Amino acid sequence: MNNGTLIWRNGELIRWEDATVHVTTHALHYGSSVFEGIRAYATPQGPAVFRLQPHTKRLVNSCKIARIDLPYSAAELDTAVLETIRQNGHESCYVRPLVIRGIGRMGLEGRHNSVDTYIITFEWGRYLGSDAIDHGVDVQVSSWRRSAPGTAASLGKIGGQYVNSQFISMEAHDNGFSEGIALDINGYVSEGAGENIFVMSDGIVYTPGAWNSILLGVTRDTVLTILRDLGYEIRFEPIARDMLYLADEIFFTGTAAEVTPIRSVDRIKVGTGQPGPITKAVQEVFFAITSGQREDHHGWLTHVRQSQPTLGD
Ligand SMILES: Cc1ncc(COP(=O)(O)O)c(C=O)c1O
């Protein structure tokens, strides 16, 4: 990992090696943290953060669900993200804002403990391997289900909930697959361990909805806009497991995974086994916008060097 040298903690930039926590930190015991994953891409105008505001909004919303009193506004966090990238001198990077319940009392309740906010940046390549974007990945349907509605809060990106995602990923890796797809409690397709899923059949695009226990991904929202701009019909419907085997195309979306084609599910080839025309059309627009090669007419990029410096600069 090629990390930044500075980490933003509670309003100040500190050295990477000083960003440590005490062993009684509540989040270590009970998963009481919320986080985001954001990418900044290299563009001809320097680094640009992709969809900063929706990510920050989701962080604020995750805190609301987890009843964590976040001491910063969305605007303050946006400024802090840009400042951290700038000070670390990245041309492109992954950004990990993290809010944790810290030290105070032991025990479940946690609201008497400190709340600590961090912004971590590091350089990170292709999440599912360098070949994945061009040729696709082989995945399995996991034996682990996503948590049922009312047992977890899938709309919040809350640390403890990611134990379920770890089970899905580890099982897939142990079985020789790049990633696992979880079904929801009713047996319908939910999402990958850390990705949303799109399924194409006879020219129509299907994707699960919030009722399928998914995280509402920012990349999912981006891709829905791209698909609408390209004129495709989109249906938010329950997707049966066997639809995955009969689909013409399937792809994952996520900040880490970007737009990654799926070439097989449970060793059954998806379509021709090559990325299909809808997948390629979406990838072309997505990567052209994120690399600054195509006009950003939706205003998705925040250019790090052109944005306002923070107070105190
Ligand atoms: C469980 C889960 N689903 C979907 C996604 C994709 O969301 P996004 O596109 O906002 O990165 C992520 C990644 O954050 C995730 O962790």
Side-chain angles (χ1 to χ4, degrees):
M1 181 165 74
N2 193 0
N3 49 259
T5 53
L6 299 169
I7 288 178
W8 190 94
R9 183 182 66 190
N10 297 338
E12 55 175 351
L13 285 162
I14 60 168
R15 293 188 318 158
W16 178 278
E17 51 274 30
D18 293 337
T20 54
V21 296
H22 193 266
V23 72
T24 58
T25 293
H26 195 269
L28 287 179
H29 300 254
Y30 305 116
S32 48
S33 63
V34 312
F35 65 103
E36 267 305 313
I38 313 174
R39 266 189 200 264
Y41 287 92
T43 78
Q45 295 86 49
V49 184
F50 190 61
R51 309 222 55 194
L52 176 58
Q53 290 81 11
H55 280 290
T56 310
K57 184 172 180 193
R58 191 171 62 190
L59 186 79
V60 170
N61 286 345
S62 297
C63 285
K64 190 171 184 185
I65 293 171
R67 294 166 197 255
I68 293 176
D69 287 330
L70 179 63
Y72 301 98
S73 68
E76 286 168 330
L77 292 170
D78 287 349
T79 305
V81 165
L82 296 168
E83 181 66 0
T84 309
I85 298 171
R86 207 181 284 129
Q87 293 293 339
N88 278 319
H90 298 294
E91 281 307 312
S92 66
C93 64
Y94 185 83
V95 184
R96 167 55 55 81
L98 172 72
V99 185
I100 62 171
R101 285 204 198 282
I103 54 171
R105 298 186 194 166
M106 293 299 284
L108 275 170
E109 159 63 49
R111 278 179 288 186
H112 301 289
N113 291 33
S114 65
V115 172
D116 298 301
T117 310
Y118 296 83
I119 298 166
I120 308 156
T121 62
F122 48 92
E123 287 166 27
W124 211 21
R126 300 271 183 241
Y127 178 61
L128 294 172
S130 49
D131 246 24
I133 302 283
D134 293 335
H135 301 295
V137 288
D138 301 307
V139 306
Q140 70 163 150
V141 174
S142 183
S143 68
W144 293 99
R145 296 285 175 99
R146 271 275 178 255
S147 304
T151 65
S154 78
L155 301 188
K157 210 166 159 55
I158 299 172
Q161 296 182 169
Y162 277 78
V163 172
N164 174 259
S165 287
Q166 290 168 47
F167 289 165
I168 294 164
S169 266
M170 289 191 290
E171 180 189 56
H173 297 162
D174 285 348
N175 291 335
F177 296 99
S178 297
E179 186 57 295
I181 297 170
L183 304 179
D184 71 11
I185 195 65
N186 296 311
Y188 293 109
V189 174
S190 176
E191 60 181 347
E195 306 85 10
N196 294 118
I197 193 166
F198 287 75
V199 179
M200 275 58 67
S201 202
D202 295 328
I204 296 170
V205 181
Y206 297 84
T207 198
W211 51 88
N212 297 119
S213 301
I214 64 167
L215 180 76
L216 289 174
V218 174
T219 321
R220 174 183 181 273
D221 176 73
T222 303
V223 164
L224 287 171
T225 302
I226 293 173
L227 285 164
R228 286 189 190 108
D229 288 351
L230 293 171
Y232 288 106
E233 181 181 342
I234 303 159
R235 293 193 191 162
F236 303 92
E237 285 179 9
I239 299 171
R241 175 178 183 160
D242 29 330
M243 264 180 84
L244 299 175
Y245 304 141
L246 302 180
D248 301 318
E249 305 175 41
I250 310 177
F251 59 77
F252 275 142
T253 64
T255 299
E258 300 171 296
V259 181
T260 298
I262 294 177
R263 68 179 171 199
S264 73
V265 179
D266 294 339
R267 305 195 198 284
I268 299 176
K269 205 195 277 183
V270 176
T272 63
Q274 297 293 323
I278 303 179
T279 309
K280 283 202 204 152
V282 171
Q283 281 185 321
E284 194 187 320
V285 177
F286 180 85
F287 290 113
I289 293 178
T290 52
S291 61
Q293 309 294 326
R294 189 186 175 114
E295 201 202 334
D296 173 27
H297 60 271
H298 290 292
W300 285 338
L301 296 175
T302 305
H303 290 277
V304 172
R305 296 198 184 121
Q306 286 151 34
S307 50
Q308 289 300 310
T310 46
L311 292 175
D313 246 9

